[in-house]
Amino acid sequence: MTWWRDAAIYQVYLRSFADGSGDGIGDIAGLESRLGYLRDLGVDALWINPWYASPMADGGYDVADYRQIDPAFGTLQDAERLIGAAHQFGLKIIVDLVPNHTSDRHAWFREAVEAGPGSPARDRYHFRDEPNNWQSRFGGPAWSQVDDGQWYLHLFDSSQPDLNWDHPEVRAEFLSILRFWLDRGVDGFRIDVAARLVKQAGLPDKHEAEEAVPSFIDPPDQPDKDRPEVHEIYRDWRLVLGEYGSDRVFVGEIWVSDPERFALYLRPDELHTAFNFEFLKCAWEAGAFRAVIDRTLATHARVAAPPTWVLSNHDVTRHVTRYGRTETAFAKRVHDVPSDLALGTRRARAAALLSMALPGGVYVYQGDELGLPEVFDLPAALREDPVFYRTEGLDLGRDGCRVPLPWGGECPPFEFGKGGAWLRQPEEWRDLTAARQLGDADSMLSLYRLALRIRKSEPALGDGRMRWLESEAGVLAFARDPGFVCVVNLTDRAVGLPEGTALLASAELEDPGTGEARLPPDAAVWLRTASEVTA
Ligand code: GLC
């Protein structure tokens, strides 16, 4: 079995993780100084958001040079040292590859602009004399004009021109970039916007008008998404990865809800895994979870790929906040609805145990382990996300889930670094610092550390199978062999438990030690069961 089939992968949003240089922006030195924390947390690998040379118009997802590290983060030597140091700590490194678009400062785009209409340099992007009706994923039109009047396509910000993946030079360049990082010892790649690289020939208009605030629920059959030809690209990439042994991995960012189409990306000669966004979007509701889990397992079984379980990332509202709302399903970012954060935190604790008990791999977005909520009241002038500007504030964007981590101390920047933090953390985060939580056995951090430790040592957990147990409505209960049961109570009253000894619970059980222990609402428990459960 290979490590990635059941890895616990921690997402490092580098700008906001830890600042070693004192400029208020997280960097490689800061990450290196906290590797011990990550090892002790118990994760197996780190996925690092883009660290390449970039004007940072989209937090680094606008890459100007795929073979250089942005000076704000460090140098290429720092990156190489970090990869080595992480390996020393037993942590694998997954880097973020952004193939759908470059920055408008990338040498190719500059060349294209200078070379003028009809030039071969323009063929590496999508230049046209007239735009079509596509909208940017960040709001507003997906086309912008250069000075000579031609339009170029950008599915995201105008500073992120889309590459033309029908162009052989584009394909060759990315094979070379893969090799560049594989030669430096990375263990894998997270592939940004993996379903959108190829566009329908001729870039035809869309039928439906898109909304002002793009949703995470996409209509199917769009000319800019999930085209069958995209699979050729991943087959080529897989061959390159294969030259480096069988231990390196691709994880795709694939927002494709249709299970059959999603599974195609995970065929044995394409990507290894993909983020499970259906799980992330799922409402706090037992029936909905059960359906998503069943669908996930069936989808992945089709292609023998391991599922992943994802609760949050750098693009969505933090789940502590989502789970504290009346509407807990996630379709698009909203900011004007109240959230009961105590309830959200309670549910987030239970969700952590659920996600770590399911078969496959699990993702932890930095700050999940601290129970951080979304931050809404950021000064407009400090906001950086192009989504905020392109939707004219209708969508506040993603800065609120990217606020720098609170490490310790009593006031901002909470030991993020010596020079403040590019977004100021709320004062209340003094109660959520890593240092504070380490000293509290009941904290979110203590729960994550213990759960990840048990998950690693428990033969029943990780890759493999699960079986639903009979349970009352509103309760999820499943068994994993040998001798492990997870129960999650999504009702509003305490419920009885199957026989077994509690290994870990997200909240205090009622009547513990009586043989009649009960699981309170919005809580989960892991049980050791004496008998082998037959599948
Ligand atoms: C992905 C990234 C997101 C980025 C976008 C454009 O969705 O996760 O952060 O803005 O791609 O690269």
Side-chain angles (χ1 to χ4, degrees), residues 422-440:
W422 67 277
L423 285 174
R424 190 184 157 90
Q425 306 108 327
E427 300 286 338
E428 313 84 78
W429 283 17
R430 77 168 64 82
D431 298 325
L432 296 176
T433 65
R436 174 78 62 98
Q437 296 201 39
L438 275 178
D440 173 3

Side-chain angles (χ1 to χ4, degrees), residues 414-482:
F414 297 116
E415 296 173 12
F416 172 68
K418 292 201 166 54
W422 67 277
L423 285 174
R424 190 184 157 90
Q425 306 108 327
E427 300 286 338
E428 313 84 78
W429 283 17
R430 77 168 64 82
D431 298 325
L432 296 176
T433 65
R436 174 78 62 98
Q437 296 201 39
L438 275 178
D440 173 3
D442 294 329
S443 67
M444 186 73 90
L445 181 55
S446 297
L447 180 78
Y448 265 79
R449 283 165 51 114
L450 200 51
L452 286 165
R453 193 173 333 140
I454 296 175
R455 184 177 181 275
K456 200 169 270 185
S457 62
E458 182 58 52
L461 295 185
D463 201 18
R465 286 144 56 102
M466 60 165 274
R467 187 167 61 89
W468 292 111
L469 300 177
E470 218 174 284
S471 60
E472 49 187 286
V475 176
L476 296 171
F478 57 93
R480 308 229 24 214
D481 290 332

Side-chain angles (χ1 to χ4, degrees), residues 58 61 98 101 138 156 160 190 192-193 253 255 314-315 398 402:
D58 182 22
Y61 281 96
V98 189
H101 43 266
F138 288 169
F156 295 88
Q160 294 166 297
R190 177 261 187 193
D192 190 56
V193 195
E253 187 209 16
W255 292 89
H314 65 295
D315 292 327
R398 302 162 294 177
R402 301 171 174 182

